[in-house]
């Protein structure tokens, strides 16, 4: 049967031999066969071929391989190639066997040990100078076929051929940004040359965009999505031991230029036009800049207006401007491949560049006499045009009008002697500069000066003396000098000298630290004796010294403390709560006494601010509360004695809560409230009490009395059966104090009394251990519903009654008797 059919087809019925020839089969198809033996009894079981059999011509060994060629020879290797045989013997080639024979030997030796199907092989490990011939055979499943024809004798030696290079590109290549480009060519040489690519003398390395492909005969450098940085001189070098060849290509990747280089310089600014300049782009995009496009814009509008688009210069005149308007300039660069991003200038106002000179700095006055002074100034900025004149003006300090000191021009000097001043008058001066545009603003006024002759040194101070002393200081006083040298006395310099020393020491370093005719010299040593002298100082210098007549011994001058009370400590002090309490006094005494404040002979509250100065002391308490009241005492003490003064302070505040709130005489519609006055009346008489009530089921308090001065109140108009809370607060002229509240609710009901006795108690049945009793209700229930009856019994002759039980009804059976 055919391999793709299931039905079996009989071939012969009378085969007596143990073989058979099957006719009529189709070439190329696969068949299965089966055989069964038969005797007179019948046919036995079939035996089937285990695998399919394909019908084809008989298989032989393959023909000999063709075109065995030597491709490369070196001193120790030979590379050969060949083509398959024309006929494979009816079966696929399974391998090739390469054999070699050393010239001079008879036998061929197999070169390939492993199973080889490639039709190229390099025989290695040969000896330089030996000569070989080679042949190759093909094998299939039948066996090894005939060998190919032998090669010519091959001698092992290196073949040498200088490199050759054939390029597909020219010397120059221009590429747009983003496009790809490739440099290709062919090369040869023996031994095989090494191929190297360079860009600007740096070896080219492969990356995501740069690809290098080299085969034994071709070379290629490719760049994807080119950028400007890919521009440069590319070089390919093909080199072997016999020499080298190079090829070059100048690649230019072109793009639109980068923006012009700023900042935009305003070379000229006028009220109706400007002249601007800039620098060319750093990168022209690989192509020469063909022109610049210039636009202008009023800064208060969004619209850009064209100025020109046909200039190759890096300067341009911007015409048709409106005076006083601010403008911005926008500049593009353009080449053959596009327009750059813009360069935008700063804002510039259209106005004439030249202006009047700036105001000079404050002038300086020197060489003052009773009728003249020299004014000196520095040259200001000239406004773009040369200064042609200076104008000097004067005015008396208390006047308002400035007057020119001369009508003659003052130039080029920067100082001028002003004549015709009035002796004793105080003057100020100012200077203005002038150019061809006009007169600039005046300078700030000079410092005031008096028109008078130069100042001489003053005479010495008069009658210096020591007026007080302590253990480390001496107080000096004196009178001003008789002559001030025509200059204001700036101050005085005080010096002291220890008796026995030669050096005078300065008590103050500068005269302006002692402008008055008194000074306290400090830092002296107790028990030593010092001399003192005083000098007067004016603008001309120091006077001769004036001496304190006698040396002074430094020691404390004892004076007992003395207190001069301020008004806030003279009488009882009343302060409203929340206000500030201030107590102060002037303190005298030598040495200065030690100061201490007490309250009720204890330390004052930490919140009190206490300040002690050289002349007194102050106690201050902010945001006073009632607890700050009491008796405050101020004690001052020094070695000569001590003194204490006291003042009572009352802090006026709202009263405290009333005490001991009681509720009594409760009725169904009223109750009686009593309380005691607050422990603290806030420093003021209690004016009245406020009484309020609240239903426990309600959140709101209701006033029932707000003007009562008594410490009791009858709460009327209560709802019978309702539970109430009550509270009371005291008031004085400073406000209402906190409430005191009842601790538990009070129920508005009439008072309850015990009920009357039951009536008509008698028995209705008797047994040996129990008695049945009945009775009637009492005449009165005491103001409330009767809840039960207590039954007791007493044994005859006994004194004590025994409780049996409480029953709710009008009958009971007493058991257990």
């Amino acid at each position: 049967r055919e391999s793709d059919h299931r039905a079996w087809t009989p071939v012969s019925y009378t085969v007596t031999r143990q073989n058979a020839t099957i006719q009529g089969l189709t070439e190329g198809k696969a068949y299965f066969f089966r055989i069964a033996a038969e005797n007179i009894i019948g046919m036995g079981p079939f035996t089937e071929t285990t695998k399919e059999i394909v019908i084809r011509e008989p298989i032989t060994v393959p023909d000999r391989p063709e075109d065995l060629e030597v491709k490369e020879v070196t001193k120790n290797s030979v590379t050969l190639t060949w083509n398959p045989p024309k006929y494979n013997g009816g079966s696929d080639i399974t391998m090739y066997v390469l054999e070699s024979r050393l010239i001079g030997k008879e036998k061929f030796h197999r070169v390939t040990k492993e199973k080889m199907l490639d039709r190229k092989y390099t025989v290695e490990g040969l000896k330089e100078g030996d000569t070989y011939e080679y042949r190759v055979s093909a094998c299939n499943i039948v066996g090894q076929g005939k060998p190919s024809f032998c090669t010519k004798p091959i001698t092992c030696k290196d073949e040498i051929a200088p490199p050759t290079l054939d390029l597909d590109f020219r010397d120059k290549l221009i590429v747009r940004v983003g496009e790809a480009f490739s440099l290709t060519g062919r090369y040869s040489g023996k031994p095989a040359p090494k191929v190297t690519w360079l860009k600007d003398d740096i070896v080219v390395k492969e990356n995501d965009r740069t690809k290098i492909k080299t085969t034994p005969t071709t070379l290629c450098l490719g760049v994807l999505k080119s950028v400007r940085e890919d521009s440069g001189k590319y070089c390919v070098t093909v080199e072997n031991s016999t020499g080298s060849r190079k090829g070059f290509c100048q690649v230019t990747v072109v793009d639109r230029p980068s923006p012009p280089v700023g900042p935009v310089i305003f070379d000229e600014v006028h009220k109706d036009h400007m002249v601007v300049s800039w620098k060319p782009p750093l990168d022209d995009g690989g192509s020469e800049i063909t022109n610049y496009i210039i636009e202008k814009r009023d800064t208060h509008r969004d619209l850009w207006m064209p100025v020109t688009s046909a200039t190759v210069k890096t300067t341009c005149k911007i015409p048709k401007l409106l005076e006083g308007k601010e403008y911005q300039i926008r500049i593009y660069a353009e080449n053959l491949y596009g327009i750059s991003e813009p360069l935008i200038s700063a804002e510039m106002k259209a106005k004439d560049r030249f202006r009047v000179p700036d105001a000079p700095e404050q002038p300086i006055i020197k060489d003052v006499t009773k009728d003249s002074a020299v004014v000196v100034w520095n040259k200001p900025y000239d406004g773009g045009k040369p200064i042609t004149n200076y104008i000097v003006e004067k005015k008396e300090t208390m006047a308002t009008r400035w007057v020119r000191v001369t009508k003659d021009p003052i130039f080029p000097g920067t100082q001028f002697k002003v004549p015709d001043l009035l002796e004793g008058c105080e003057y100020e001066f100012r200077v203005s500069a002038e150019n061809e545009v006009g007169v600039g603003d005046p300078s700030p006024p000079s410092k005031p000066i008096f028109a008078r002759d130069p100042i001489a040194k003053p005479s010495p101070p008069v009658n210096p003396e020591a007026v007080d002393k302590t253990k480390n200081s001496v107080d000096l006083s004196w009178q001003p000098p008789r002559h001030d040298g025509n200059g204001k006395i700036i101050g005085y310099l005080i010096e002291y000298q220890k008796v026995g020393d030669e050096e005078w020491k300065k008590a103050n370093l500068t005269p302006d630290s002692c402008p008055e005719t008194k000074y306290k010299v400090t830092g002296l040593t107790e028990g030593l004796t010092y001399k003192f002298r005083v000098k007067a100082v004016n603008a001309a210098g120091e006077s001769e010294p004036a001496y304190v007549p006698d040396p002074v011994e430094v020691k404390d001058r004892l004076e007992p403390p003395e207190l001069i009370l301020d008004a806030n400590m003279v009488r009882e002090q009343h302060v409203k709560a929340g206000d500030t309490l201030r107590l102060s006094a002037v303190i005298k005494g030598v040495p200065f006494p030690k100061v201490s404040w007490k309250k009720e002979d204890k330390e004052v509250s930490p919140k009190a601010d206490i300040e002690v100065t050289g002349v007194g002391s102050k106690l201050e308490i902010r945001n006073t509360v009632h607890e700050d009241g009491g008796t405050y005492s101020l004690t001052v003490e020094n070695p000569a004695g001590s003194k204490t003064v006291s003042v009572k302070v009352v802090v006026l505040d709202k009263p405290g809560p009333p005490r001991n709130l009681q509720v009594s005489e409760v009725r169904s519609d009223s109750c009686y409230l009593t309380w005691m006055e607050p422990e603290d009346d806030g420093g003021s008489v209690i004016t009245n009490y406020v009484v309020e009530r609240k239903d426990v089921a309600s959140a709101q308090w209701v006033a029932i009395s707000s003007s009562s001065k008594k410490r009791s109140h009858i709460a009327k108009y209560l709802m019978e059966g309702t539970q109430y809370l009550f509270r009371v607060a005291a008031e004085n002229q400073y406000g209402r104090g906190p409430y005191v509240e009842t601790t538990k609710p009070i129920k508005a009901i009439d008072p309850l009394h015990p009920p009357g006795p039951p009536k008509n108690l008698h028995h209705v049945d008797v047994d040996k251990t129990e008695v049945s009793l009945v009775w009637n209700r009492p005449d009165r229930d005491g103001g409330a519903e009767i809840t039960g009856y207590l039954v007791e019994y007493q044994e005859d002759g006994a004194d004590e009654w025994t409780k049996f039980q409480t029953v709710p009804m009008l009958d009971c059976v007493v058991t257990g008797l």
Side-chain angles (χ1 to χ4, degrees):
R1 68 177 175 86
E2 294 180 12
S3 61
D4 54 352
H5 288 67
R6 292 186 177 183
W8 290 91
T9 303
V11 175
S12 170
Y13 294 99
T14 56
V15 178
T16 57
R17 302 182 304 275
Q18 293 178 342
N19 56 61
T21 300
I22 294 90
Q23 303 290 338
L25 301 179
T26 305
E27 184 175 1
K29 281 200 172 184
Y31 293 89
F32 284 96
F33 300 92
R34 66 180 183 178
I35 303 169
E38 189 177 13
N39 61 13
I40 57 173
I41 302 301
M43 186 181 296
F46 283 96
T47 298
E48 187 176 333
T49 55
T50 57
K51 59 182 178 179
E52 64 184 24
I53 298 172
V54 180
I55 304 303
R56 56 189 172 188
E57 293 296 328
I59 298 174
T60 64
V61 296
D63 289 351
R64 67 181 79 223
E66 298 188 345
D67 303 328
L68 177 61
E69 292 183 5
V70 178
K71 287 296 182 182
E72 185 178 358
V73 178
T74 68
K75 63 183 179 181
N76 56 11
S77 68
V78 174
T79 300
L80 303 106
T81 62
W82 57 91
N83 290 327
K86 288 185 178 179
Y87 178 57
N88 61 6
S91 177
D92 292 338
I93 303 296
T94 57
M95 70 174 179
Y96 292 96
V97 177
L98 180 66
E99 298 174 304
S100 69
R101 182 175 72 86
L102 181 63
I103 299 300
K105 302 289 184 178
E106 293 184 0
K107 291 186 178 180
F108 279 86
H109 297 281
R110 184 169 175 171
V111 173
T112 55
K113 301 288 192 262
E114 68 281 356
K115 189 174 183 180
M116 182 181 68
L117 277 173
D118 289 342
R119 296 194 303 278
K120 180 178 180 181
Y121 190 79
T122 299
V123 183
E124 297 179 335
L126 303 179
K127 186 177 180 182
E128 185 176 5
D130 286 352
T131 303
Y132 295 87
E133 59 181 7
Y134 293 89
R135 67 185 186 184
V136 64
S137 306
C139 300
N140 62 11
I141 58 174
V142 176
Q144 182 174 340
K146 294 180 180 179
S148 67
F149 297 109
C150 291
T151 62
K152 294 180 180 179
I154 302 166
T155 302
C156 292
K157 61 181 180 178
D158 283 336
E159 293 186 8
I160 296 176
T164 63
L165 183 60
D166 181 17
L167 300 177
D168 297 332
F169 50 85
R170 297 185 180 182
D171 295 343
K172 293 182 179 179
L173 177 63
I174 296 177
V175 183
R176 288 293 294 269
V177 163
E179 295 181 354
F181 67 89
S182 62
L183 306 177
T184 61
R186 290 160 298 286
Y187 72 100
S188 65
K190 292 185 180 181
K194 178 184 177 183
V195 178
T196 305
W197 288 93
L198 303 176
K199 174 178 173 283
D200 297 329
D201 298 327
I202 299 174
V203 175
V204 177
K205 296 182 179 179
E206 283 194 287
N207 55 36
D208 292 342
R209 295 188 305 104
T210 304
K211 307 296 180 183
I212 298 175
K213 184 177 181 180
T214 305
T215 70
T217 58
T218 63
L219 48 84
C220 177
L221 169 67
V223 177
L224 306 173
K225 296 181 180 179
S226 59
V227 296
R228 285 279 295 141
E229 290 72 17
D230 293 328
S231 299
K233 187 175 183 179
Y234 287 80
C235 170
V236 60
T237 302
V238 180
E239 183 179 13
N240 66 8
S241 58
T242 64
S244 66
R245 292 290 301 275
K246 293 183 178 181
F248 296 94
C249 181
Q250 182 67 45
V251 176
T252 303
V253 180
V254 294
D255 191 10
R256 63 175 185 164
S258 63
V261 176
V264 176
I265 299 171
F266 292 88
D267 298 309
E268 296 181 28
V269 178
H270 301 277
K271 63 183 179 181
D272 59 352
H273 72 277
M274 301 177 185
V275 177
V276 298
S277 62
W278 60 91
K279 294 180 181 178
L282 295 176
D283 180 10
D284 63 3
S287 177
E288 184 179 353
I289 301 297
T290 56
N291 62 283
Y292 293 97
I293 300 170
I294 297 94
E295 298 173 334
K296 67 182 179 183
R297 179 178 77 90
D298 183 339
T299 56
H300 296 292
R301 301 178 62 189
D302 295 332
L303 180 64
W304 288 91
M305 302 295 293
V307 176
T308 180
S309 59
T311 179
V312 294
K313 296 180 181 179
T314 56
T315 181
C316 179
K317 178 180 178 181
I318 313 297
K320 299 179 181 179
L321 305 181
L322 297 177
E323 184 175 5
K325 295 279 190 180
E326 288 190 340
Y327 291 91
Q328 273 187 306
I329 310 302
R330 186 163 73 176
I331 304 166
Y332 299 88
E334 186 175 9
N335 64 9
L336 290 174
Y337 301 100
I339 299 173
S340 72
E341 293 295 318
L343 165 66
I344 299 177
S345 74
E347 298 177 357
M348 178 59 70
K349 183 178 289 187
K351 62 178 182 178
D352 284 330
R353 177 64 64 90
F354 302 119
R355 53 185 173 84
V356 296
D358 287 352
E361 297 174 355
Q362 183 183 39
I364 298 172
I365 312 303
K366 66 178 185 178
D367 299 340
V368 179
T369 68
K370 63 183 179 181
D371 61 359
S372 69
V374 176
V375 182
V376 182
W377 63 91
N378 292 326
K379 179 183 176 182
Y381 172 64
D382 60 10
K385 292 292 184 180
I387 293 173
T388 57
N389 183 34
Y390 291 103
I391 299 170
V392 180
E393 298 173 296
K394 69 179 179 182
K395 80 174 181 71
E396 293 184 26
T397 303
M398 301 306 294
T400 58
R401 192 168 70 90
W402 290 89
V403 180
R404 286 182 68 158
V405 299
T406 178
K407 294 183 180 180
D408 298 330
I410 304 172
F411 190 77
T414 55
Q415 68 178 35
F416 183 75
K417 183 176 181 179
V418 180
D420 304 326
L421 302 180
L422 296 176
E423 184 176 3
C425 288
E426 190 177 31
Y427 289 94
E428 294 177 348
F429 301 89
R430 70 181 188 183
V431 182
S432 305
E434 183 179 7
N435 63 11
E436 66 180 57
V437 179
V439 179
D441 292 333
S443 69
S446 68
K447 292 182 179 179
I449 59 100
F450 284 96
R452 56 192 173 196
D453 286 332
I455 299 171
K457 293 181 180 179
S459 63
V462 178
N463 295 334
E465 60 179 339
V467 295
D468 198 3
K469 62 182 180 179
T470 68
K471 63 181 180 181
N472 57 12
S473 67
V474 173
D475 288 5
L476 304 176
S477 71
W478 57 90
Q479 295 176 9
R482 291 185 175 88
H483 303 288
D484 60 8
N486 293 326
K488 178 183 177 182
I489 299 298
I490 301 171
Y492 298 90
L493 290 174
I494 296 87
E495 297 177 341
Y496 62 92
Q497 180 193 58
K498 192 188 306 179
V499 172
D501 289 356
E502 295 183 359
E503 181 187 2
W504 286 88
K505 296 182 179 179
K506 289 186 176 182
N508 61 329
L509 298 177
T510 58
D512 54 8
S513 64
C514 179
E516 300 180 2
T517 57
K518 62 181 179 180
Y519 190 77
K520 179 188 281 290
V521 181
T522 58
L524 304 179
T525 303
E526 184 177 9
L528 296 181
T529 304
Y530 293 88
K531 296 179 180 179
F532 298 91
R533 67 184 185 185
V534 184
K535 299 176 183 179
V537 182
N538 66 7
E542 302 173 3
S543 71
E544 291 298 319
Y547 291 85
V548 174
D550 299 316
V552 181
E553 183 181 358
V554 178
K555 62 180 181 179
D556 275 337
R557 177 172 54 84
L558 292 178
E559 290 183 4
E562 184 179 351
L563 283 170
I564 303 173
L565 301 181
D566 290 346
N568 53 31
M569 289 191 69
V570 174
R571 62 184 64 85
E572 182 175 286
Q573 183 80 351
H574 286 214
V575 182
K576 189 175 179 181
D579 289 352
T580 300
L581 169 66
R582 291 185 179 87
L583 304 175
S584 57
V586 176
I587 301 172
K588 293 185 178 181
V590 180
F592 189 80
K594 179 183 177 183
V595 179
S596 64
W597 289 88
K598 300 282 186 181
K599 178 191 173 190
E600 314 289 0
D601 295 327
K602 297 180 181 178
E603 294 295 327
V604 296
S605 169
K607 74 182 207 177
D609 292 329
I610 297 176
E611 180 183 352
V612 179
T613 66
V615 295
S617 180
K618 180 173 69 173
L619 178 143
E620 188 174 282
I621 299 178
R622 297 182 180 86
N623 298 319
T624 53
V625 295
H626 189 69
E627 290 74 15
D628 292 326
T631 300
Y632 288 79
S633 61
L634 169 61
T635 302
V636 291
E637 183 179 6
N638 70 3
S642 67
K643 190 170 184 179
T644 301
V645 295
S646 298
V647 61
K648 183 178 180 182
V649 175
V650 178
V651 179
L652 304 174
D653 197 1
K654 297 178 291 188
R659 297 174 295 150
N660 196 22
L661 175 61
Q662 300 288 338
V663 183
S664 61
E665 300 181 23
V666 179
R667 301 286 186 270
S668 61
D669 61 349
S670 66
C671 65
Y672 186 60
L673 305 176
T674 59
W675 60 88
M676 298 173 65
E677 72 277 355
E679 288 185 356
D680 177 15
D681 63 2
S684 178
V685 176
I686 301 294
T687 58
N688 61 281
Y689 292 95
V690 176
V691 183
E692 295 181 350
R693 77 176 187 208
K694 185 181 78 161
D695 182 343
V696 294
S698 170
Q700 186 172 2
W701 288 91
V702 179
I704 58 178
S705 175
S706 59
S707 59
S708 174
K709 296 184 179 181
K710 297 188 297 181
R711 294 191 297 277
S712 63
H713 184 76
I714 297 177
K716 298 180 179 180
Y717 311 115
L718 304 182
M719 299 284 293
E720 184 176 1
T722 302
Q723 290 185 322
Y724 292 94
L725 290 171
F726 297 90
R727 65 181 186 180
V728 182
E731 285 188 353
N732 63 11
Q733 69 180 83
Y734 300 106
R736 181 182 300 175
Y739 285 92
V740 61
E741 189 175 324
T742 54
T743 56
K744 58 184 180 179
I746 306 300
K747 190 172 185 180
I749 56 175
D750 288 328
L752 298 179
H753 302 285
K759 297 175 66 177
N760 194 20
L761 172 64
H762 61 279
H763 66 274
V764 293
D765 192 11
V766 178
D767 199 350
K768 63 179 181 179
T769 59
E770 59 183 36
V771 175
S772 297
L773 302 176
V774 295
W775 58 90
N776 296 329
R777 294 175 62 87
D779 291 334
R780 63 182 188 275
D781 59 7
E785 183 181 352
I786 292 175
T787 58
Y789 298 90
L790 176 62
V791 180
E792 297 177 327
Y793 63 88
Q794 181 190 58
E795 189 176 341
D796 189 21
D799 295 329
E800 297 293 331
W801 285 89
T802 302
K803 291 183 179 180
F804 175 64
Q805 68 182 51
T806 299
V807 296
M809 306 302 292
L810 298 174
D811 58 75
C812 176
V813 178
V814 181
T815 60
L817 300 178

